[in-house]
Amino acid sequence: MTDPETLDVTIVDGYVDEPAHFGVPPYISTYPRYAAGALVDAGIPREQITYHTIDELREDNAVWRDVEDADLMVYVGGMTVPGKYVGGTPAEPDEVQELAWTANGTSIMGGPVRFGVGEANEGASETARDDLDFDFLAMADVEAAVFDLVESGLEGFNDRYRDIEEETRWARDGAFVVEQHPNHPHYLICEMETSRGCPYRCSFCTEPMYGNPDFRPPESVVDEVDALSDRGVKHFRLGRQADILAYGGDGEAPNPDALRRLYGGIREVAPDLETLHLDNMNPITVVKWPEKAREGIRIIAEHNTPGDTAAFGLESADPNVMSDNNLNVTADQCFEAVKIVNEVGGWRPGGEKDTAPNFGDDAARRLPKLLPGINLVHGLKGETRETFEHNKRFLQRVYDEGLMLRRVNIRQVMAFEGTDMADTGAEIAKDHKQLFKQYKQEVRETIDNPMLQRVAPPGTILPDVHLEYHQDGKTFGRQLGTYPLLVGIPGERELGNVVDIAVTDHGYRSVTGVPYPLDLNSASMNELTAIPGIGRSTAGDVVVNRPYESAGDIDVDAIERFVTAQSPEGAD
């Protein structure tokens, strides 16, 4: 019998992206944290548990030694909803297989990779189950599997799901592993699970494979936040659930009291948190129980941090696609849900709650507290050319009615074994690929850009933008949070720094900004010309006529939204 106290374990995080679970940096998912907690609970000392991201292995060959030498190597990863990522690159199947070949000890993999893998992590693709040469594949909870595997002396386990008591214990015991993440502590956001499973059965979605919703008590979630906060984490997202409004209820109807205990408890144990966001909210819940939903949304907007997004799974505005794929909300119902979230959560800090949604020249200069996002999936059964027109008309209606969307997520379906889409596969998505590209570009131009100008007009302040990379003479960064805006800043600034930004211009899904407040007496020409109303000629005059005593010395409309004039000593 193998003594757990003698085992060295390496956890490799290949990153996850599921319908209700995100783990690509700067996010860390629940999987590696819970697995680490399960290992501790099984008797393995914390100091003998090593955690690495797949990007660490790519960047430093020496790290592979931890994979090679471990008595037990645990891989967690898998993509069931593809996307584009900035903070990290999910592991590809050949990389995962190389991990198995490298490991001399026992190897086990789990997470959404259990649903299947394709040739690449992308839409319009089909997948198949594959153990990728690992010794064990956890077909239920990987954390339960590793606990039982250690208990058996590395001989084996039966696939099973952990219970609430185990989850509560393992979530707290595994919080220590965040300190080994390369982004810790300043640029790391923890994905938090409030429930999993879904009462609905959309054709393409893997979330129903977890069964009907199973809710953690507020005390369990709050206890985990407390443990993570003690380890230096200040950024949290309640993203691991199909519908935040249904939390603590019967799986469908809202339960405002449970939300109050959840959000209030989080704020009590982590009073200095910097981000508290969410992800999924089901629009059908909003329209079926509007008064309870309004109260739940009000509670969320009262406790969260600005820029939060409630992702709505409309999936398709085409009624034929809706019926063919067992989707649960019509376009008209989704529109009503968009309106309600705007009215309750679409206010900005410093603005009037009673007049939401707030936008325009008189609106406060922060992002709204909570706005809906829209998820659209293409390649579903019954899709035709008219489907694309239905979707465009829906989005245009939202804009024309003076409402706001934080973002529109358009993707092509991945067909997984065990879902209804497995029979259809990715053929429709492949057939419509060119049409999809044209449509996506049209949405970016006609909806995304003007909507972004409404949500974040020039002068909007984005605090704490983390600088990530350089490109074309600019520095790009993002805030931490749900679907953060990509911000381009003139010039190449030191990466890793954190700056406040004032928005100056808009792309389709990104903005340009300048450091806020920008000092007239030291600003560069590129920074000055980024400000609305200042061309190169005016910027040249500003530089020549330095120093200034106040922003009012410059005759440009609304200049005070962007600049200040610091003491002229040492000015250019």
Side-chain angles (χ1 to χ4, degrees):
M1 185 71 174
T2 304
D3 184 355
E5 291 189 358
T6 68
L7 295 178
D8 288 314
V9 182
T10 295
I11 300 172
V12 177
D13 189 349
Y15 312 144
V16 304
D17 194 354
E18 300 181 83
H21 201 171
F22 193 45
V24 181
Y27 286 84
I28 180 171
S29 73
T30 66
Y31 291 112
R33 292 158 24 212
Y34 289 8
L39 292 166
V40 170
D41 196 29
I44 298 176
R46 287 180 181 176
E47 59 270 18
Q48 290 165 217
I49 300 172
T50 301
Y51 167 84
H52 290 302
T53 67
I54 189 65
D55 282 314
E56 286 183 272
L57 272 68
R58 293 173 179 135
E59 294 165 6
D60 184 358
N61 286 332
V63 176
W64 282 87
R65 193 172 299 116
D66 290 331
V67 175
E68 183 178 1
D69 296 342
D71 298 303
L72 174 62
M73 192 274 287
V74 181
Y75 172 78
V76 294
M79 317 296 291
T80 61
V81 285
K84 294 184 178 180
Y85 313 101
V86 175
T89 302
E92 294 288 352
D94 59 341
E95 294 179 307
V96 181
Q97 193 167 49
E98 186 177 358
L99 288 168
W101 293 343
T102 302
N104 288 326
T106 302
S107 62
I108 179 173
M109 72 173 180
V113 68
R114 69 186 176 93
F115 294 125
V117 296
E119 294 182 1
N121 299 319
E122 60 186 12
S125 62
E126 296 167 1
T127 66
R129 291 197 173 119
D130 190 342
D131 64 12
L132 296 174
D133 296 334
F134 277 68
D135 295 323
F136 296 102
L137 167 62
M139 287 303 294
D141 280 332
V142 64
E143 54 267 33
V146 299
F147 178 85
D148 293 348
L149 185 61
V150 172
E151 289 248 302
S152 75
L154 303 185
E155 294 298 321
F157 59 89
N158 293 318
D159 287 311
R160 70 176 179 90
Y161 290 102
R162 34 87 171 154
D163 58 34
I164 292 294
E165 289 74 18
E166 287 176 320
E167 181 179 15
T168 300
R169 194 165 64 247
W170 296 345
R172 172 170 279 280
D173 288 347
F176 76 94
V177 86
V178 299
E179 295 180 322
Q180 298 183 44
H181 195 288
N183 288 18
H184 181 272
H186 302 298
Y187 196 41
L188 186 66
I189 182 167
C190 285
E191 186 84 314
M192 306 299 298
E193 177 178 314
T194 68
S195 70
R196 61 181 178 179
C198 184
Y200 304 105
R201 298 293 183 265
C202 300
S203 68
F204 62 93
C205 189
T206 56
E207 190 62 23
M209 294 183 186
Y210 290 102
N212 288 324
D214 179 26
F215 298 103
R216 295 174 71 185
E219 298 75 22
S220 175
V221 182
V222 170
D223 184 58
E224 183 180 4
V225 171
D226 191 23
L228 291 166
S229 181
D230 286 346
R231 298 282 179 173
V233 175
K234 292 184 179 294
H235 306 276
F236 304 92
R237 186 176 86 150
L238 306 178
R240 183 68 182 100
Q241 72 274 313
D243 182 6
I244 188 65
L245 279 184
Y247 172 73
D250 62 4
E252 297 185 45
N255 185 342
D257 288 340
L259 286 170
R260 190 176 290 106
R261 296 199 307 274
L262 174 67
Y263 274 86
I266 290 173
R267 281 294 196 170
E268 185 174 344
V269 299
D272 298 325
L273 65 76
E274 296 175 10
T275 304
L276 180 55
H277 280 184
L278 61 89
D279 191 6
N280 296 301
M281 182 183 292
N282 198 328
I284 197 64
T285 307
V286 181
V287 294
K288 286 180 73 173
W289 297 276
E291 294 310 313
K292 285 186 176 181
R294 283 178 181 272
E295 178 63 9
I297 294 165
R298 187 195 64 76
I299 291 166
I300 293 169
E302 178 183 314
H303 290 88
N304 70 353
T305 54
D308 202 357
T309 306
F312 278 178
L314 171 60
E315 321 305 358
S316 179
D318 184 337
N320 293 327
V321 175
M322 179 189 173
S323 61
D324 287 353
N325 294 272
N326 201 31
L327 307 182
N328 62 59
V329 65
T330 67
D332 285 343
Q333 288 172 323
C334 189
F335 176 84
E336 183 62 25
V338 166
K339 184 178 179 182
I340 288 173
V341 174
N342 268 260
E343 290 172 351
V344 182
W347 54 275
R348 303 170 190 259
E352 293 293 331
K353 297 181 183 180
D354 294 340
T355 60
N358 301 155
F359 60 87
D361 293 340
D362 297 330
R365 297 174 58 198
R366 293 290 301 279
L367 290 175
K369 289 301 293 293
L370 179 66
L371 291 178
I374 295 294
N375 295 339
L376 296 170
V377 179
H378 285 273
L380 298 177
K381 290 181 287 186
E383 180 177 284
T384 65
R385 285 182 169 270
E386 183 59 26
T387 302
F388 297 85
E389 299 303 317
H390 279 290
N391 289 349
K392 286 189 291 185
R393 284 194 294 269
F394 170 82
L395 295 172
Q396 191 65 53
R397 179 187 178 192
V398 171
Y399 183 80
D400 291 345
E401 290 292 329
L403 302 173
M404 292 186 287
L405 298 174
R406 173 56 193 82
R407 69 95 176 91
V408 180
N409 185 26
I410 303 172
R411 65 181 178 89
Q412 289 184 296
V413 72
M414 296 178 76
F416 284 90
E417 184 179 339
T419 68
D420 289 347
M421 276 301 297
D423 295 334
T424 304
E427 292 308 310
I428 296 174
K430 291 174 182 175
D431 290 345
H432 291 169
K433 202 147 195 174
Q434 188 57 43
L435 179 60
F436 174 80
K437 289 180 180 179
Q438 296 169 352
Y439 146 87
K440 192 172 182 178
Q441 182 64 25
E442 185 177 346
V443 170
R444 298 297 179 234
E445 294 172 355
T446 62
I447 300 298
D448 282 338
N449 180 264
M451 186 66 78
L452 188 52
Q453 294 182 50
R454 179 177 289 175
V455 172
T460 299
I461 307 303
L462 305 178
D464 300 328
V465 173
H466 295 253
L467 305 183
E468 295 181 302
Y469 65 94
H470 297 137
Q471 183 176 312
D472 300 329
K474 294 182 179 181
T475 304
F476 289 86
R478 296 175 297 171
Q479 295 175 298
L480 279 172
T482 295
Y483 311 110
L485 286 170
L486 182 64
V487 184
I489 308 162
E492 293 194 352
R493 297 177 167 268
E494 185 176 350
L495 301 183
N497 282 352
V498 180
V499 296
D500 295 346
I501 294 296
V503 174
T504 59
D505 201 2
H506 306 80
Y508 299 149
R509 309 190 77 185
S510 63
V511 296
T512 302
V514 293
Y516 177 80
L518 189 64
D519 180 18
L520 279 175
N521 292 321
S522 61
S524 69
M525 283 285 290
N526 285 339
E527 289 170 336
L528 290 168
T529 55
I531 296 172
I534 297 184
R536 292 202 66 81
S537 176
T538 301
D541 292 340
V542 169
V543 171
V544 168
N545 293 322
R546 286 170 174 165
Y548 299 92
E549 293 186 357
S550 73
D553 294 343
I554 304 297
D555 186 19
V556 174
D557 289 344
I559 188 69
E560 68 282 352
R561 287 177 172 261
F562 306 95
V563 304
T564 187
Q566 297 180 10
S567 175
E569 285 85 0
D572 293 351

